[in-house]
Amino acid sequence: MGVSRAALALAMLTTAPWASPPAPAHAQQAELHRMEARTRPITRFRIGSDETRFGDLEFAGGLEINATSRHFGALSGFRFVDGQGRFIGVTDTGFWVDGTLARGEDGNPAGVTDLAMTAIAGRGGAPITGKWQADAEGIAARDGTLWVSFEREHRIAVYETDGEKRRWKAAAPPPVPLHELRRNRGFEGIAIGTEASALAGALIGVTENSLDAAGNIMAFARPGTGEPFEFSVAKRDDFYVTDIDFLPDGDLILLERRFNVRDGVAMRLRRIDDAEIRARATVDGEILLEADMRFQIDNMEGLAITQDADGVPRLTIVSDDNHSILQRNLLIEFRYLTPPADAVGG
């Protein structure tokens, strides 16, 4: 990965979000920045191996992304808003990120175009200022509406969107006891239940690592009708949740990250049965993938799920480089396939 495990671990320890670094001085001064993306293809997920199948996931390629502006980076949430091309993301330094993911004839990532960043505004249209208020972590999108989760000053803001224009509509605390949320371990992931889900249309939020009395990860569901409720996600090992999204069939996928000085960085994907999410339940699920520094990963923080023309779900995962020269902005994709025939029944 270009640096030693120890060097990357030290860099992550000193620059990662849990270290509470100050926001870059430029983060709240810009209104709109258009920039050119510079990408390098990632053709192998496991370093030095041509392997493409990882359990039920098939690696579909990726990109290392840089840009001609120092503002680019710190991507913490990510969603496609027009098929599998146009996307919108948020950064934990207070920016919207807009762009288009170009695809090759095989449908896999080929480049990024139309890249721009805009300061996230609050009530009255003024840019949100200060790391305490501007720490955007998760994003959900549906029918011209965007929901953005913020931690530190824990809240979920709602925006109306028309292309790159966004209008603040409302903001409210998440429907959980705020005193139980850790300052920098709030709602990293939010998502809207797909039509096939038992939670269709509901806004779901899962914290990074705010724990309930039993030591499990706090979460909530806010249905379109009815009262919101709390549930928990089973805490497994020393992984923290960094994003969530729904599969087309309705189940919930968790993106998780582990970091420690001994082992470095790892990412994990876990599938949760949507039918088990109910008031006061603690849910757990199958681990689909776990990858450490032998793979092309970094500080993986954003997850977006779409569906290919053949009906296969596609998982797009992006990283937050923390504006560190020792980290990378990565975009990697997997197709979620059914188990191979020779694995059935055995």
Side-chain angles (χ1 to χ4, degrees):
M1 297 178 64
V3 295
S4 70
R5 176 174 296 183
L8 180 58
L10 178 61
M12 291 290 289
L13 184 63
T14 56
T15 64
W18 53 85
S20 303
H26 64 264
Q28 304 301 336
Q29 297 174 1
E31 292 185 1
L32 177 66
H33 295 274
R34 297 195 181 278
M35 57 198 73
E36 179 184 351
R38 299 168 177 168
T39 61
R40 182 180 68 83
I42 298 172
T43 58
R44 297 174 174 178
F45 180 52
R46 186 176 184 127
I47 297 170
S49 170
D50 291 327
E51 181 182 5
T52 60
R53 190 70 182 262
F54 303 91
D56 293 347
L57 298 177
E58 178 185 64
F59 181 61
L63 300 168
E64 180 177 340
I65 308 170
N66 291 294
T68 54
S69 170
R70 63 177 183 171
H71 297 273
F72 182 70
L75 193 62
S76 55
F78 179 86
R79 285 291 185 267
F80 287 103
V81 292
D82 182 13
Q84 295 178 326
R86 193 166 68 86
F87 63 81
I88 181 171
V90 292
T91 76
D92 59 18
T93 52
F95 279 104
W96 302 107
V97 180
D98 289 272
T100 299
L101 181 61
R103 296 184 178 276
E105 292 182 0
D106 57 2
N108 296 335
V112 174
T113 62
D114 307 318
L115 191 62
M117 297 182 69
T118 313
I120 298 175
R123 184 193 300 269
I128 300 172
T129 58
K131 180 67 173 177
W132 190 268
Q133 290 78 28
D135 193 353
E137 295 292 346
I139 182 172
R142 173 166 289 187
D143 300 332
T145 300
L146 302 173
W147 293 262
V148 179
S149 61
F150 294 83
E151 61 181 11
R152 301 176 193 263
E153 185 180 294
H154 301 290
R155 66 196 188 280
I156 296 174
V158 183
Y159 294 83
E160 292 179 343
T161 183
D162 179 11
E164 293 176 352
K165 296 180 180 179
R166 318 257 144 72
R167 185 175 70 84
W168 183 93
K169 187 176 180 181
V176 298
L178 292 183
H179 69 275
E180 295 183 2
L181 295 178
R182 296 178 63 183
R183 182 184 71 178
N184 196 27
R185 297 286 188 270
F187 285 94
E188 288 264 333
I190 56 173
I192 303 292
T194 52
E195 292 181 4
S197 177
L199 300 159
L203 178 68
I204 308 298
V206 180
T207 64
E208 179 181 7
N209 200 48
S210 290
L211 305 181
D212 62 16
N216 292 310
I217 299 165
M218 294 173 57
F220 75 84
R222 191 171 68 196
T225 60
E227 293 297 317
F229 61 85
E230 296 177 53
F231 68 99
S232 299
V233 174
K235 174 75 173 175
R236 299 183 69 171
D237 309 319
D238 53 351
F239 278 83
Y240 292 1
V241 175
T242 58
D243 207 355
I244 63 174
D245 203 5
F246 281 89
L247 290 167
D249 71 3
D251 280 357
L252 184 68
I253 299 293
L254 305 179
L255 172 64
E256 299 176 284
R257 170 191 61 213
R258 183 191 69 206
F259 167 76
N260 60 57
V261 175
R262 182 190 65 193
D263 302 316
V265 183
M267 64 160 275
R268 185 168 73 187
L269 294 167
R270 188 169 19 151
R271 179 172 182 160
I272 305 295
D273 184 344
D274 63 313
E276 296 183 359
I277 298 176
R278 55 188 181 276
R280 297 179 297 280
T282 298
V283 299
D284 199 351
E286 172 192 8
I287 293 175
L288 302 178
L289 175 71
E290 189 170 315
D292 57 20
M293 296 176 67
R294 295 170 297 174
F295 297 81
Q296 291 281 9
I297 67 165
D298 204 280
N299 176 34
M300 311 310 289
E301 286 221 7
L303 168 68
I305 299 177
T306 55
Q307 192 168 26
D308 287 351
D310 60 2
V312 174
R314 181 177 289 257
L315 281 59
T316 305
I317 306 170
V318 297
S319 70
D320 171 1
D321 73 339
N322 294 302
H323 288 293
S324 167
I325 61 172
L326 295 181
Q327 292 180 250
R328 299 180 296 165
N329 296 296
L330 302 182
L331 181 149
I332 57 175
E333 289 194 333
F334 297 90
R335 280 166 47 89
Y336 187 7
L337 305 173
T338 56
D342 58 5
V344 176

